[in-house]
Amino acid sequence: MPVEFLGIAATNNGSETTPRSGGAFDKDYTIRLARAHEDHGWDRVLFAYGSGTPEPASAAAYLASKLDKLQILLAHRPNVSYPTFAAKTFATLDQISDGRLTVHFITGGTDHEQQREGDYLAKDQRYSRTREYIQIVKKAWINRSAFDHDGEHYRFADFVSDVFPVQQPRPNVSFGGSSPAAYEAGGAEADIFCLWGEPLAETAQQIESVKQAAKDAGRTDVPRIQVAFRPIIAPTEELAWEKAHRTVDRIEARKANGPLSRRHSLTNPENTGSQRLLAVAERGERFDRALWTPTAKATGGAGNSNALVGTPETVAQALLDYYDLGVDILSARGYDLLDDAIDFGRYVIPLVREEVAKRDRAKAA
Ligand SMILES: Cc1cc2nc3c(=O)[nH]c(=O)nc-3n(C[C@H](O)[C@H](O)[C@H](O)COP(=O)(O)O)c2cc1C
């Protein structure tokens, strides 16, 4: 199974180490960063969602009109638009991008962040809504005749879309989360299930939980698995570790000037995914071949935050360890977003692709 690489479609140059130099939506930077991904072997880029961030679907349409190869992973929160409206937004974007869209349904890990846009449901209720939402979006993408819906969270009658995705029967549905409610909803509905990078053993456990949830939902197939990391690479191991420690120093220096983001608290995160990352960091700094947890600890386990540290060869081997676990979509982003996307694309992606191709050939033989 060929491996895929997911990068980041940031709309400014800000990160945990670097205050952004301009506004939240820097059109030129958005395209420059995306083009760097397209030119250096990445398959897809993620447009993340935050209550105050630039609206990702519009930014993604802009990108799709400027680049003709790079695929788009669009993060979407069900509470911000009605599912029939969202289905048309995604179908239109898939048309604009000539079939390059995957939608990443996120349920939101923090009640306070959800309430900023009028969402007062508790997390498990949010997951139940996400599940119903995805079912409606899938139906709206496929049904050519009008249908009614009368569910727990949504009710409407006689809806039929007049715009359909290029991808047939429909674009892929991606899903993220690590709580039991996430496994249940995502295991039942997702084509791609996304996790934040943890040690191999913990990741294997999560993959089993997702597969079991898919089975419990009566599925005969299972979602593909995506895992995310923060690679820190350099020409020698020594230089890579120096860079890793400097990275944490830069994060700590930034924290001295205030919160890193409005979306994530630095202490006591509500979402299971972040709690798991902090629990792993409590157990130690280094795991397996190259996993390093102080970057997660420094940011309160804020999303994709565990690092893989080493030379390109070491980091490539570490990623292949996850590939061998059944992870075929590898998500990565650095801290100096543009330079790190180019370096990772230039020095790590080719090594992983070559080794995966060799393994696939051996398997086929
Ligand atoms: C790959 C990935 C990307 C995510 N992107 C976002 C995002 O852009 N915005 C957001 O609010 N949450 C994002 N999340 C977090 C989800 O909203 C998740 O539902 C939430 O953290 C609750 O997770 P839990 O089930 O682990 O408690 C992402 C999660 C994953 C795994």
Side-chain angles (χ1 to χ4, degrees), residues 46-50 75 77 104 106-109 113-114 123 127 175-179 182 194-196 226 228 263 270-274:
L46 166 68
F47 280 92
Y49 188 97
R77 281 188 193 157
H104 181 65
I106 48 176
T107 297
E113 163 69 0
Q114 293 304 115
K123 190 176 71 175
Y127 271 117
F175 191 99
S178 291
S179 57
C194 308
L195 304 168
W196 295 322
Q226 172 186 302
R263 190 147 55 91
E270 289 168 35
N271 62 312
T272 311
S274 300

Side-chain angles (χ1 to χ4, degrees), residues 146-162:
F147 64 98
D148 303 343
H149 179 84
D150 190 354
E152 183 188 346
H153 300 281
Y154 300 101
R155 181 166 177 252
F156 56 85
D158 193 31
F159 173 81
V160 62
S161 178
D162 196 18

Side-chain angles (χ1 to χ4, degrees), residues 30-342:
T30 302
I31 296 302
R32 202 152 22 98
L33 180 64
R35 204 176 290 292
H37 281 84
E38 185 171 89
D39 294 348
H40 292 90
W42 297 77
D43 299 287
R44 191 175 297 115
V45 285
L46 166 68
F47 280 92
Y49 188 97
S51 59
T53 58
E55 199 278 309
S58 312
Y62 177 62
L63 184 153
S65 66
K66 298 276 184 186
L67 279 76
D68 51 23
K69 220 173 53 187
L70 195 64
Q71 299 171 49
I72 291 162
L73 180 64
L74 179 75
H76 181 75
R77 281 188 193 157
N79 60 296
V80 297
S81 65
Y82 203 73
T84 54
F85 176 86
K88 293 176 289 178
T89 302
F90 305 144
T92 308
L93 187 49
D94 198 47
Q95 296 262 358
I96 292 169
S97 66
D98 299 317
R100 288 181 277 151
L101 178 69
T102 299
V103 181
H104 181 65
F105 291 91
I106 48 176
T107 297
T110 313
D111 293 358
H112 186 72
E113 163 69 0
Q114 293 304 115
Q115 290 160 10
R116 287 180 175 133
E117 293 192 284
D119 185 9
Y120 289 83
L121 286 187
K123 190 176 71 175
D124 285 3
Q125 268 292 298
R126 295 202 295 269
Y127 271 117
S128 140
R129 178 185 57 195
T130 302
R131 187 170 179 177
E132 186 179 333
Y133 195 98
I134 294 172
Q135 291 164 349
I136 294 168
V137 168
K138 285 178 178 176
K139 219 170 167 183
W141 278 340
I142 293 171
N143 279 34
R144 303 294 166 139
S145 51
F147 64 98
D148 303 343
H149 179 84
D150 190 354
E152 183 188 346
H153 300 281
Y154 300 101
R155 181 166 177 252
F156 56 85
D158 193 31
F159 173 81
V160 62
S161 178
D162 196 18
V163 56
F164 296 95
V166 167
Q167 296 174 81
Q168 289 300 308
R170 60 171 175 77
N172 274 337
V173 163
S174 173
F175 191 99
S178 291
S179 57
Y183 297 147
E184 193 188 332
E189 295 298 337
D191 304 301
I192 299 166
F193 200 103
C194 308
L195 304 168
W196 295 322
E198 295 179 4
L200 290 165
E202 282 76 7
T203 300
Q205 274 168 8
Q206 291 213 75
I207 294 175
E208 274 321 302
S209 301
V210 172
K211 287 184 176 168
Q212 187 56 47
K215 205 159 153 232
D216 296 346
R219 287 176 68 167
T220 51
D221 65 330
V222 291
R224 297 172 66 195
I225 303 293
Q226 172 186 302
V227 177
F229 302 95
R230 310 299 293 268
I232 300 176
I233 61 172
T236 68
E237 297 296 335
E238 197 184 348
L239 287 172
W241 285 103
E242 278 171 24
K243 188 175 170 186
H245 290 285
R246 255 197 333 274
T247 299
V248 168
D249 294 346
R250 290 169 69 193
I251 295 172
E252 295 299 346
R254 266 211 75 201
K255 277 163 52 180
N257 305 328
L260 294 174
S261 105
R262 274 174 53 84
R263 190 147 55 91
H264 294 284
S265 74
L266 288 173
T267 53
N268 310 320
E270 289 168 35
N271 62 312
T272 311
S274 300
Q275 291 163 356
R276 291 177 60 101
L277 293 175
L278 293 181
V280 170
E282 281 313 309
R283 284 179 25 224
E285 295 196 349
R286 288 200 58 176
F287 292 84
D288 310 317
R289 206 185 285 270
L291 193 83
W292 195 56
T293 64
T295 46
K297 189 167 185 174
T299 58
N304 172 13
S305 49
N306 266 337
L308 289 176
V309 181
T311 61
E313 292 71 21
T314 298
V315 169
Q317 284 304 328
L319 290 168
L320 287 159
D321 295 339
Y322 287 87
Y323 176 80
D324 292 341
L325 278 186
V327 178
D328 62 17
I329 306 175
L330 297 167
S331 169
R333 83 172 183 273
Y335 292 92
D336 299 311
L337 300 179
L338 184 59
D339 295 345
D340 292 346
I342 293 170

